[in-house]
Amino acid sequence: ASLLYYKGFRVRDSTKYPNICAWFDAMETRPSFRASQSDYYTHAMDLPPQLGGCSAESGGEAQRALLDGGEWTLASLSQQPLQPLRDDDASAAKRRAARQLIGNYKRVVPFACRAHAPPGVPPVMAPLADPNNASPVRWHEDDVDCAL
């Protein structure tokens, strides 16, 4: 995901790298691997706060435009998505996501509340979820819990 986003390099290219694609396909049959997966956008966005910055190259401009919101437009519905679709049954994916969210609400709600808290020390490049903010604003926690 990060190579695609920052460099424009597609690892999951079945024509160029069939064995790598087969490895990913096999790994994605394992529940333990699938539980650790994230979407491409989230993965690409979590690197700068962890590494202190990532350099984008011109070869990745088209992929960045798609992952930054272009894939979510009506015009892109006829295009092949950048990240692999893992479920034939969309309702099963939604149910699994809901179970994960409900099962982890005690951790998710305070994490989501960090977006409204003052910046932590040292400052980071994660504007919506500062990992250094140990004391999120709690006055709207019930509203966030309800919304989630």
Side-chain angles (χ1 to χ4, degrees):
S2 56
L3 282 172
L4 181 65
Y5 189 84
Y6 290 103
K7 310 295 182 191
F9 182 79
R10 187 185 301 255
V11 174
R12 288 189 90 147
D13 183 329
S14 59
T15 304
K16 292 181 181 177
Y17 312 108
N19 292 335
I20 291 175
C21 290
W23 180 82
F24 274 120
D25 291 342
M27 290 297 289
E28 288 171 346
T29 66
R30 303 179 64 86
S32 58
F33 182 81
R34 289 175 56 101
S36 70
Q37 280 186 303
S38 181
D39 61 281
Y40 280 20
Y41 177 82
T42 300
H43 183 71
M45 292 299 108
D46 73 3
L47 284 177
Q50 293 178 41
L51 302 176
C54 296
S55 60
E57 293 182 3
S58 61
E61 289 173 354
Q63 289 78 9
R64 281 192 298 281
L66 286 172
L67 288 173
D68 286 343
E71 278 200 310
W72 309 333
T73 63
L74 291 175
S76 69
L77 290 178
S78 62
Q79 299 173 3
Q80 180 71 18
L82 286 177
Q83 71 183 17
L85 301 176
R86 294 180 185 91
D87 289 298
D88 294 332
D89 179 5
S91 64
K94 291 174 186 176
R95 288 191 304 273
R96 185 171 56 250
R99 277 194 306 273
Q100 292 293 98
L101 188 60
I102 291 167
N104 292 306
Y105 80 94
K106 288 182 180 178
R107 292 184 180 136
V108 173
V109 170
F111 181 85
C113 289
R114 292 193 297 180
H116 290 281
V121 177
V124 297
M125 296 169 44
L128 296 179
D130 185 346
N132 295 328
N133 181 356
S135 57
V137 175
R138 303 268 180 174
W139 60 267
H140 61 296
E141 201 166 89
D142 290 340
D143 294 329
V144 171
D145 185 19
C146 183
L148 292 174

